[in-house]
Amino acid sequence: MIKSMTGFGRCEIQKESRKFTVELKSVNHRYLDVNIRMPKKLNFFETAIRTLLKSYANRGKVDIFITYEDLSQAQVSVKYNAVLAAEYLKYLKQMEEEFGLENDVRISTLSRYPEVFTMEEQSEDEEELWNGLKEALEGAFAQFVETRQTEGENLKKDILSKLDILSEHIGFIEERSPQIVTEYRAKLEDKMKELLADTQIEESRIASEVILFADKICTDEEVVRLKSHISHMRNTLEEKDEIGRKLDFIAQEMNREANTILSKANDIEVSDHAISLKTEIEKIREQIQNIE
């Protein structure tokens, strides 16, 4: 299914005492550009997160925001450094003997000495941590893909409607072209009659001039190629794989043919429709920039 590069996803998962929240959004980009913001504790999983995302998206600038809460009461523990406390006491006793001072150190005093008691964060089970995070990621990524597909279908409908408009303009140009040649021949005959008066007009000379004119303004090849490109684009829109770059290439070729038609146009109506062709093709190209 066709996918837009614009999308959003969110998922919140609570596994026992752990709570994970994942949000992500994306915009257009030539390649897959991923930016992840998450707690330092989860940095270890960055490569795994990027790898997982690649199974859901191929292109786009993606911003991922991850929050993590440990709701348990065992997040940190107190660590007692008995060796260091003994060192403090040894030197305090030495000071007592050297300076003849009263040793008034109590437990409450000693406990406040640097590094006697420290707060230590409990180590996490990495597998359990990843399982919870992965579930939240997959939930957010699935919603992310769904929004991209919905937007992609809207883009597809819009492009198809614009291709119908292109076909109408091409149909007019195709129908109008022979009329231009006929009108040119009639004008040429009238002009030559006016100039030559009663002198007999050489039919072969008129035919030769008309052939040169017809060849100069002929857009049959461009029209045929444009029709082919339109058909190719319609078929590509039905493909399931990454199609954004392919569609952009087709649109460039369509624009090239429209430019040639406009350059050959020797008729105001054909010129107007050629300009309209270019306008619609440009609108299509803008929409294609959003497709993965």
Side-chain angles (χ1 to χ4, degrees):
M1 183 179 291
I2 185 173
K3 287 189 288 187
S4 167
M5 280 191 282
T6 304
F8 174 82
R10 186 182 190 279
C11 184
E12 185 175 285
I13 295 292
Q14 185 163 337
K15 304 283 284 185
E16 298 177 352
S17 62
R18 297 184 177 93
K19 183 179 178 182
F20 301 90
T21 304
V22 177
E23 292 185 0
L24 71 157
K25 60 181 181 178
S26 70
V27 293
N28 306 346
H29 200 273
R30 283 187 70 184
Y31 308 104
L32 182 61
D33 180 20
V34 185
N35 178 48
I36 305 173
R37 295 184 183 179
M38 59 183 168
K40 187 180 294 185
K41 180 180 289 188
L42 303 178
N43 283 348
F44 180 79
F45 302 116
E46 181 174 348
T47 301
I49 294 169
R50 291 177 182 276
T51 301
L52 183 63
L53 178 63
K54 286 179 182 177
S55 62
Y56 291 86
N58 296 310
R59 292 175 66 199
K61 187 179 186 305
V62 184
D63 291 307
I64 303 176
F65 306 92
I66 301 172
T67 57
Y68 167 66
E69 296 177 67
D70 187 344
L71 306 176
S72 70
Q73 300 301 313
Q75 298 178 36
V76 292
S77 62
V78 177
K79 185 179 179 181
Y80 166 51
N81 192 330
V83 174
L84 185 61
E87 285 284 303
Y88 280 129
L89 284 172
K90 182 179 77 171
Y91 286 112
L92 287 169
K93 188 174 182 179
Q94 182 179 328
M95 290 172 67
E96 177 189 1
E97 293 172 353
E98 288 178 357
F99 300 108
L101 298 173
E102 180 185 358
N103 190 344
D104 60 351
V105 175
R106 296 174 176 273
I107 292 175
S108 59
T109 306
L110 185 60
S111 68
R112 290 195 291 271
Y113 280 37
E115 305 300 322
V116 172
F117 287 120
T118 55
M119 304 295 288
E120 188 176 75
E121 193 170 342
Q122 296 282 66
S123 61
E124 298 269 10
D125 185 315
E126 287 185 2
E127 185 176 353
E128 289 185 9
L129 199 60
W130 171 244
N131 288 338
L133 176 58
K134 184 181 179 184
E135 187 174 339
L137 287 167
E138 289 176 334
F141 289 173
Q143 187 183 86
F144 172 68
V145 170
E146 187 178 335
T147 60
R148 282 182 141 205
Q149 288 176 337
T150 300
E151 178 64 18
E153 282 301 303
N154 292 334
L155 288 173
K156 177 182 175 181
K157 290 176 183 176
D158 185 65
I159 292 172
L160 287 172
S161 68
K162 286 177 170 53
L163 290 177
D164 289 337
I165 295 173
L166 290 185
S167 296
E168 291 176 7
H169 288 303
I170 293 169
F172 176 87
I173 292 170
E174 198 173 19
E175 183 179 345
R176 174 66 181 153
S177 294
Q179 297 173 6
I180 298 172
V181 176
T182 302
E183 291 171 5
Y184 177 76
R185 182 187 181 96
K187 289 179 181 177
L188 186 60
E189 287 180 342
D190 290 343
K191 189 68 175 176
M192 291 186 74
K193 285 177 181 178
E194 181 182 336
L195 292 172
L196 299 175
D198 296 332
T199 307
Q200 189 174 357
I201 302 172
E202 294 183 20
E203 185 64 29
S204 61
R205 186 172 178 183
I206 292 178
S208 177
E209 289 291 333
V210 170
I211 290 171
L212 288 173
F213 175 79
D215 186 61
K216 182 180 177 181
I217 69 164
C218 180
T219 57
D220 290 354
E221 291 183 14
E222 289 77 18
V223 165
V224 169
R225 283 195 289 265
L226 258 177
K227 286 182 176 181
S228 176
H229 294 325
I230 290 173
S231 177
H232 190 190
M233 185 170 285
R234 289 182 187 277
N235 293 335
T236 303
L237 286 168
E238 301 301 325
E239 295 178 8
K240 296 180 181 179
D241 298 329
E242 184 182 336
I243 61 172
R245 290 188 179 93
K246 186 186 292 188
L247 290 173
D248 189 47
F249 174 76
I250 297 170
Q252 289 179 41
E253 294 300 307
M254 292 168 68
N255 190 56
R256 184 176 290 111
E257 302 303 336
N259 280 333
T260 305
I261 290 174
L262 183 59
S263 68
K264 288 183 175 182
N266 195 30
D267 177 78
I268 187 64
E269 292 183 81
V270 171
S271 294
D272 287 344
H273 282 271
I275 291 170
S276 296
L277 271 177
K278 285 179 57 62
T279 301
E280 291 302 318
I281 291 170
E282 187 57 36
K283 290 178 183 178
I284 290 172
R285 289 189 69 182
E286 288 176 3
Q287 294 291 53
I288 287 171
Q289 301 310 309
N290 297 312
I291 296 176
E292 185 177 75

